[in-house]
Amino acid sequence: MPVPDVPTRGTLRTDLDPVFRREYQRVVAVAARVLGSRDQAEDVAQEVFLAFNRSSVPASEAGGWLSVAAAHTALNLIRSGRRRASNEETAAAAVPPVVPDVAEDVVTLEERSRVRAALARLPHKQAVALVLRHSGLSYAEVAAALDLSPGSVGTTVRRAESALRKELTRHASSH
């Protein structure tokens, strides 16, 4: 297998453009699944492609690597709390002109926030497997991306779903 052309500082990999064109939408989709914000997902995608540019990952393995990197980066963003300040600024700047049912919107936003926080508390491999699978990756793609056997992906995802339910229940009862 040929070794990719790893760029020196300030240069681009020769295979970056085709990989970017092929994988960008999926990277954004994975990050958006975790973050719930396309704008933040695009920021994550930028970070991920910059990291790919500095990496020695072969273009043929870029899809899985980029998907995992997008999930990791998005989860780390949630875990770091940087997201909270950004959301508050976005919410203050984007007041919708007409909201049909404010209560329903608030409940939906709170529920999504609870799920994202619970997801961030899961073991990293489980959280990433769950995000990748629910972002549309096949069992084979998740297995390749996380270096798991294809047969263990279903078990990992089911355990992650169970752990997520427990986290949601545990935190709901503590409030």
Side-chain angles (χ1 to χ4, degrees):
M1 178 170 17
V3 175
D5 203 8
V6 179
T8 58
R9 187 170 180 83
T11 62
L12 297 178
R13 288 174 61 141
T14 57
D15 57 0
L16 181 62
D17 188 55
V19 169
F20 179 85
R21 290 176 190 277
R22 185 179 69 235
E23 301 295 338
Y24 180 77
Q25 290 303 324
R26 184 188 335 210
V27 169
V28 170
V30 168
R33 171 86 50 184
V34 174
L35 298 168
S37 163
R38 179 152 178 103
D39 288 342
Q40 288 179 317
E42 288 175 348
D43 290 345
V44 165
Q46 182 177 354
E47 283 184 47
V48 167
F49 279 101
L50 286 171
F52 175 74
N53 184 60
R54 292 185 302 267
S55 78
S56 60
V57 175
S60 62
E61 297 172 17
W65 188 91
L66 290 164
S67 294
V68 170
H72 281 293
T73 304
L75 285 166
N76 288 340
L77 187 60
I78 289 174
R79 287 183 176 124
S80 73
R82 290 185 292 170
R83 193 170 170 265
R84 183 174 22 260
S86 174
N87 278 347
E88 290 168 359
E89 290 170 9
T90 303
V95 177
V98 177
V99 179
D101 186 350
V102 174
E104 186 174 308
D105 286 350
V106 168
V107 168
T108 301
L109 287 172
E110 286 177 1
E111 187 64 22
R112 287 181 183 159
S113 178
R114 282 184 55 239
V115 170
R116 287 188 176 91
L119 183 65
R121 289 188 299 270
L122 294 183
H124 213 65
K125 195 166 213 164
Q126 283 185 355
V128 172
L130 190 60
V131 167
L132 295 179
R133 184 65 183 127
H134 285 273
S135 294
L137 273 70
S138 70
Y139 277 53
E141 290 171 316
V142 172
L146 293 177
D147 197 26
L148 296 171
S149 69
S152 69
V153 171
T155 302
T156 302
V157 169
R158 281 190 300 282
R159 286 181 181 157
E161 289 168 341
S162 176
L164 183 62
R165 280 191 292 280
K166 286 178 185 170
E167 275 296 312
L168 289 168
T169 302
R170 186 167 66 87
H171 278 270
S173 63
S174 68
H175 284 70

